[in-house]
Amino acid sequence: MRKARMEAFSDGVIAIIITIMVLEMKVPHGDNWHDLSPVLSVFLSYVLSFVYVGIYWNNHHHMLHTVSRVTGAILWANLHLLFWLSLFPFATGWMGENHFTPVPTALYGMVLLMAAIAYYLLQQAIIRSQGPGSILKKAVGRDWKGKLSPVLYVTAMAATLLSGWIAEAIFVIAALIWLIPDRRIENVLPGSEP
Amino acid sequence: MRKARMEAFSDGVIAIIITIMVLEMKVPHGDNWHDLSPVLSVFLSYVLSFVYVGIYWNNHHHMLHTVSRVTGAILWANLHLLFWLSLFPFATGWMGENHFTPVPTALYGMVLLMAAIAYYLLQQAIIRSQGPGSILKKAVGRDWKGKLSPVLYVTAMAATLLSGWIAEAIFVIAALIWLIPDRRIENVLPGSEP
Amino acid sequence: MRKARMEAFSDGVIAIIITIMVLEMKVPHGDNWHDLSPVLSVFLSYVLSFVYVGIYWNNHHHMLHTVSRVTGAILWANLHLLFWLSLFPFATGWMGENHFTPVPTALYGMVLLMAAIAYYLLQQAIIRSQGPGSILKKAVGRDWKGKLSPVLYVTAMAATLLSGWIAEAIFVIAALIWLIPDRRIENVLPGSEP
Amino acid sequence: MRKARMEAFSDGVIAIIITIMVLEMKVPHGDNWHDLSPVLSVFLSYVLSFVYVGIYWNNHHHMLHTVSRVTGAILWANLHLLFWLSLFPFATGWMGENHFTPVPTALYGMVLLMAAIAYYLLQQAIIRSQGPGSILKKAVGRDWKGKLSPVLYVTAMAATLLSGWIAEAIFVIAALIWLIPDRRIENVLPGSEP
């Protein structure tokens, strides 16, 4: 019961986040193809964020699958994750409207980093609540994706000192790592997919 | 479980899309009937998009009815469909604010086309997951509506070179094809309704 | 199943409508109490619409309680109702920003009228689907509230020719009629509460 | 059934409230770190409101857990609570954009106060519906948090006459009181946690 409502609330918040991001793409005033060009970078940053929020929704969904009892710690760790996800529209809009210049790109990386940390804290809260023999702990395994991602976000933030585009490339790679299924690796490192 | 959450998330996203489209109808400053006239074309484009999103929600709903196991491919094909649907408010607003001029109308047609392709890919992902004897494959049948729609959208996009209004007429016809129940045809071509 | 999803979708749309109406209350720039005064009439129109949307959600909820099979006609009658409800934020904002002047107040009445008609059509679609001995038909009874409301909305629209405030008073009365429980009347006219 | 739908609707409204508050953080035009500084106070007020809405969602969720029958009074008391919560985005935006000056801070306190009163009325409606031996009445116990909070909000509103910052400190303390679990106190005052 309690879990169903936490899932429903999270789904609601994530659905709204993913949808209001599109409001940052302001309808241009002219009616020619070239009037769309200022919207293009906002569109690209929207695509990137849509994929990230999609990955979070997907992983959140798998992770909660293992939960049977929702504790106060899990509830607040979940709200903490939703808080950082709720900053995606702002960070996405700022980065897109400024055509991927360094500072907004670094802020975007910071929001990605904080969301990754919040996701890790939620994961730990669930594992702690499940005690020894936690299903989630076993499923997460070495969690190489979960450990690599924050390193990539920090690297991208540092890379903005050189160029915003290198940072964007790192964000795309970090997203692809989550998107590409790693069944072969899964067999070697059981449960590497959170 | 997994399917229920995918449905709930999709419902949430579609509900938000259908509702935020109305935000493109900006409240006019004057308080006379003629102050509403610039809003009229945004209103008409809103009606058209409301019907299209309603059709998608309706069909999505029928299609998922046949799903028993949600695979990773289905999850991402579903998010891909939601992505294109999320561009409806932008395309609707641009077309409406520019009074159905050719370029915004062509972009609208492109978003309709991409959503139709995304719907087709989701349908294929479900059919593949169901293996031989797929219930959905049988239900879809020859899928003449699903095949005709993209042709109509491309035709409408080409027609904008002549006039935006011809394109609009084609969009209306394409929507009506989905709205009008075809029970008699259903008997001849079983399962033509996705 | 089908009904659960229609309810969930309707709840989503109504929840969004009721919440985005508040966005019409634009945050004022000054930071004194008198800076709130231009927002006051938007606030009052928001209160009125919040109550109306609350009444619709409440009644919709009771009405769907009697439904066991969702037909295509019910689905589309429901979407038609949601369409008119989705125009509440626009009509509310226009009326509020213009301090209840006649024309925006008349438009507001028109949206109320169309929503009432759409509600009636949904009710009829459900009754028709239930065949003779329809539970809803019995529950609705003489439906004096459902019949009186449209008359009041039309009266209010006409009254705007005299004064916007008379119309507002009628809208308030029409809302109160739905809010005040009529248990005694219920016993005389069984099932007058839809 | 009825309760599930009331919960789902409340979750939807609260999810939207918590998410649209972030829209008050307008994307700045420049692309330097110092361009973020005007957004900082909006961000801080957003954090405060996110925590408050999170607390409300959490408590609402616990409180409804004890409900088995939803009466008309409960439905409307719940809508009344959602109404005051829906004013959080406006009050948060006004306070944040004016850098926590006295008047917007006092209005924020007033919205907190009204929401607390609405929560109390909902609690009473549920207790009344449960009759003698109400589970909720027992769970609520002396309700010292529920009684202290309104006092703190009124104190904060008065404190704005001296300084907005004292009021903010009181809002933070009032939130912390709800956040910090009080298991030891619970044992002494059974059921102090609503």
Side-chain angles (χ1 to χ4, degrees), chain A:
Chain A
M1 187 62 203
R2 229 180 149 179
K3 176 180 153 190
R5 213 179 153 187
M6 190 175 98
E7 282 186 329
F9 183 72
S10 305
D11 281 352
V13 171
I14 296 174
I16 300 158
I17 289 168
I18 218 168
T19 322
I20 65 175
M21 280 195 302
V22 91
L23 293 178
E24 297 297 337
M25 279 173 64
K26 311 279 184 223
V27 170
H29 287 296
D31 69 346
N32 260 298
W33 290 112
H34 62 79
D35 293 310
L36 286 180
S37 67
V39 185
L40 187 69
S41 62
V42 183
F43 175 72
L44 290 177
S45 69
Y46 173 59
V47 173
L48 183 65
S49 292
F50 191 97
V51 171
Y52 267 112
V53 176
I55 291 169
Y56 269 104
W57 176 70
N58 199 347
N59 289 351
H60 186 264
H61 173 207
H62 278 88
M63 185 158 71
L64 285 197
H65 208 66
T66 70
V67 173
S68 50
R69 201 171 55 89
V70 176
T71 63
I74 292 174
L75 263 177
W76 283 103
N78 190 52
L79 277 169
H80 179 240
L81 172 60
L82 294 179
F83 175 78
W84 290 107
L85 293 181
S86 80
L87 296 181
F88 270 59
F90 177 82
T92 305
W94 200 37
M95 184 170 76
E97 281 176 30
N98 289 292
H99 309 274
F100 307 102
T101 44
V103 176
T105 303
L107 183 85
Y108 188 83
M110 208 160 90
V111 171
L112 280 181
L113 178 65
M114 294 310 294
I117 291 172
Y119 188 85
Y120 176 80
L121 292 175
L122 174 57
Q123 192 173 279
Q124 290 312 104
I126 294 173
I127 288 174
R128 226 173 310 122
S129 82
Q130 293 178 338
S134 154
I135 313 169
L136 181 59
K137 195 186 169 86
K138 230 175 92 185
V140 166
R142 293 197 194 167
D143 194 16
W144 68 272
K145 284 182 180 180
K147 279 171 192 151
L148 181 56
S149 300
V151 175
L152 288 177
Y153 303 146
V154 171
T155 309
M157 284 166 74
T160 59
L161 297 174
L162 296 169
S163 142
W165 293 103
I166 299 176
E168 298 304 331
I170 298 174
F171 293 150
V172 171
I173 290 166
L176 287 177
I177 287 174
W178 286 101
L179 279 179
I180 297 163
D182 48 3
R183 282 176 221 285
R184 232 163 339 144
I185 299 168
E186 258 169 35
N187 295 340
V188 186
L189 311 172
S192 56
E193 189 192 54

Side-chain angles (χ1 to χ4, degrees), chain D residues 15-167:
Chain D
I16 299 158
I17 289 168
I18 218 168
T19 322
I20 65 174
M21 279 195 303
V22 91
L23 293 178
E24 297 296 338
M25 280 172 64
K26 310 280 184 223
V27 170
H29 287 295
D31 68 346
N32 259 298
W33 290 112
H34 62 78
D35 293 310
L36 286 180
S37 67
V39 185
L40 187 69
S41 62
V42 184
F43 175 72
L44 291 176
S45 69
Y46 173 59
V47 173
L48 183 64
S49 293
F50 192 98
V51 171
Y52 267 111
V53 177
I55 291 167
Y56 269 103
W57 176 70
N58 199 346
N59 289 351
H60 187 264
H61 174 204
H62 278 87
M63 186 158 70
L64 285 198
H65 208 66
T66 71
V67 173
S68 50
R69 201 172 54 89
V70 176
T71 62
I74 292 174
L75 262 177
W76 283 102
N78 190 52
L79 277 169
H80 179 239
L81 172 61
L82 294 178
F83 174 77
W84 290 107
L85 293 180
S86 81
L87 295 181
F88 270 59
F90 177 82
T92 304
W94 201 37
M95 183 171 76
E97 280 176 29
N98 289 292
H99 310 273
F100 306 102
T101 44
V103 176
T105 303
L107 182 85
Y108 187 83
M110 208 160 91
V111 171
L112 280 180
L113 178 65
M114 295 309 295
I117 292 171
Y119 188 86
Y120 176 79
L121 293 175
L122 174 56
Q123 193 173 277
Q124 291 312 106
I126 294 172
I127 288 174
R128 226 172 310 121
S129 82
Q130 293 178 338
S134 154
I135 313 169
L136 181 60
K137 195 186 170 87
K138 230 176 91 185
V140 165
R142 294 197 194 170
D143 193 19
W144 67 272
K145 284 181 180 181
K147 280 172 191 150
L148 181 57
S149 300
V151 175
L152 288 176
Y153 303 147
V154 171
T155 309
M157 284 167 75
T160 58
L161 297 173
L162 296 168
S163 140
W165 294 103
I166 299 176

Side-chain angles (χ1 to χ4, degrees), chain B residues 42-119:
Chain B
V42 184
F43 175 72
L44 291 177
S45 69
Y46 172 60
V47 173
L48 183 64
S49 293
F50 191 98
V51 171
Y52 266 112
V53 176
I55 291 168
Y56 269 104
W57 176 71
N58 199 346
N59 289 352
H60 186 263
H61 174 205
H62 278 88
M63 185 158 70
L64 285 197
H65 209 65
T66 70
V67 173
S68 50
R69 203 172 53 88
V70 176
T71 62
I74 292 174
L75 263 177
W76 283 103
N78 190 53
L79 277 169
H80 179 239
L81 172 61
L82 295 179
F83 174 78
W84 290 107
L85 293 181
S86 80
L87 296 181
F88 271 58
F90 177 82
T92 305
W94 200 38
M95 185 170 76
E97 281 176 28
N98 288 293
H99 309 273
F100 307 101
T101 44
V103 176
T105 302
L107 183 85
Y108 188 83
M110 207 159 92
V111 170
L112 280 181
L113 178 65
M114 294 310 295
I117 292 172
Y119 188 85

